[in-house]
Amino acid sequence: MKTAPRAYVQRDRARAAAANTDRILTAALELFAEQPFDRITLAEVAERAGVGVQTVVRRVGTKDGLVRAVNAWVLPQVGAARGDPVSADPDAVAAAVARQYERWGALIDRTLRQEDVSPALAEGADGGRRAHRAWIDAAFADELRARAPADRRRLRAQLVAVCGVELWHVLRRDEGLSAGAARAAVADLIAACLATHTTSEP
């Protein structure tokens, strides 16, 4: 008869711990988007999350630990925004990267710009690059397979660049294009890359 109350207490504690972790990760993500990594402190994360500093330390240990925890938490959301590659159609590919970059582009860009500051940020940036290249490989598998080796490497490099966050920010932030216009520009560039590469001889 005494085990039920104890189980309820344990369940409530687990729920409270999970809620604290979510608040910590959300607070950290907000701060990463707002200011440089080296200006963020665990105390500031704790204050934003509404928990004690020791709670943050117990969850993540260090700032690098915090970055790794945020990366693990947010990576599925970043990937889901782009979705699985379903077509090499330039319009479909451009729409997929536009969805991702409109939601997560600023955070991705900030991570890439600060990767030399922290080993954890470097890990996140490297993981993002590998995921981006793998997505390109899957989306354009048939087109790449049809090329001769040297042409395949060049086409892959062009597609990685054209579909990258750096170009998206040039179009949106530097040149002031709307999201729709930037998406159309990326689609045009993808089509041009595919059109200028000839298939290998059978």
Side-chain angles (χ1 to χ4, degrees), residues 112-126:
L112 293 174
R113 290 175 183 272
Q114 298 184 100
E115 62 180 312
D116 292 337
V117 175
S118 151
L121 286 174
E123 292 167 13
D126 182 63

Side-chain angles (χ1 to χ4, degrees), residues 101-140:
Y101 295 152
E102 282 299 291
R103 173 64 183 88
W104 297 105
L107 183 67
I108 295 170
D109 182 63
R110 183 176 287 273
T111 299
L112 293 174
R113 290 175 183 272
Q114 298 184 100
E115 62 180 312
D116 292 337
V117 175
S118 151
L121 286 174
E123 292 167 13
D126 182 63
R129 289 190 185 96
R130 286 187 280 106
H132 177 59
R133 292 189 181 103
W135 196 94
I136 293 297
D137 286 342
F140 297 98

Side-chain angles (χ1 to χ4, degrees), residues 25-109:
L25 296 177
T26 299
L29 185 62
E30 291 172 355
L31 289 167
F32 288 154
E34 292 170 7
Q35 55 186 284
F37 175 80
D38 56 7
R39 289 175 50 189
I40 299 171
T41 65
L42 294 183
E44 189 175 13
V45 173
E47 182 179 2
R48 176 76 64 97
V51 301
V53 176
Q54 286 307 310
T55 299
V56 176
V57 173
R58 283 195 298 272
R59 293 292 189 281
V60 301
T62 64
K63 280 177 63 175
D64 273 333
L66 180 63
V67 171
R68 292 186 178 99
V70 170
N71 284 344
W73 177 64
V74 81
L75 183 60
Q77 302 174 58
V78 175
R82 181 181 291 200
D84 293 331
V86 296
S87 170
D89 174 70
D91 289 330
V93 172
V97 299
R99 285 194 306 271
Q100 184 181 56
Y101 295 152
E102 282 299 291
R103 173 64 183 88
W104 297 105
L107 183 67
I108 295 170
D109 182 63

